[in-house]
Amino acid sequence: MTIQENDLSSSSPFHHQFFLLLSRMMLQLRRNRTGLYIQFFHHLLSGFMVSGIFVSIGNDATQILPLLKFCTCCVVFCTFTYIMIPILLFPLEVKVLQMEYFNRWYSFKAYYFALTVSTLPLL
């Protein structure tokens, strides 16, 4: 038995898969208000903490190292906050993803692209 290339690909084009998955993920995001509230309060609390740590750093231009620490803190916060959303949600979606992917409803590329685009409004 040989596996052909068309046996592995899904039947619908990439943009149909992407927009269908994106609309589904946006609907899930709209229905799951708990995650939005947790992220909002996490950003609010982190903003107060970072501003409390670096409260008067920007007024003195002679302190280069604390300014660098502040910039690094902001970059690390944005990066890890953005990465943690898919990491926390992926274990909940593994069973559904396996079933839908092995039924060839969509490709992994369309799924991950839609997941990335759907997390952009939260960022």
Side-chain angles (χ1 to χ4, degrees):
M1 176 178 201
T2 61
I3 297 175
Q4 306 276 330
E5 178 65 31
N6 59 358
D7 291 336
L8 298 176
S9 64
S10 56
S11 59
S12 62
F14 174 78
H15 64 279
H16 286 272
Q17 297 173 18
F18 169 71
F19 286 118
L20 181 68
L21 287 167
L22 183 63
S23 65
R24 184 183 84 176
M25 289 178 184
M26 290 305 227
L27 181 65
Q28 288 173 341
L29 185 67
R30 200 171 359 145
R31 288 181 179 172
N32 187 7
R33 299 282 177 165
T34 308
L36 291 174
Y37 293 140
I38 289 172
Q39 284 182 338
F40 176 74
F41 287 118
H42 175 255
H43 279 76
L44 193 66
L45 181 66
S46 298
F48 284 132
M49 287 175 51
V50 169
S51 65
I53 293 171
F54 299 106
V55 65
S56 62
I57 298 297
N59 296 333
D60 188 10
T62 60
Q63 299 179 351
I64 301 298
L65 191 59
L67 286 172
L68 183 64
K69 288 179 185 178
F70 172 72
C71 291
T72 305
C73 179
C74 290
V75 168
V76 167
F77 172 76
C78 288
T79 303
F80 283 128
T81 301
Y82 179 68
I83 290 172
M84 286 308 290
I85 297 168
I87 289 174
L88 292 175
L89 292 179
F90 187 72
L92 301 174
E93 297 182 4
V94 168
K95 297 265 184 197
V96 175
L97 178 66
Q98 284 177 343
M99 180 189 68
E100 293 174 352
Y101 175 72
F102 289 125
N103 286 334
R104 290 187 282 159
W105 290 355
Y106 51 79
S107 64
F108 277 133
K109 184 170 55 171
Y111 175 80
Y112 284 118
F113 191 59
L115 183 65
T116 302
V117 171
S118 70
T119 57
L120 286 178
L122 296 178
L123 182 64

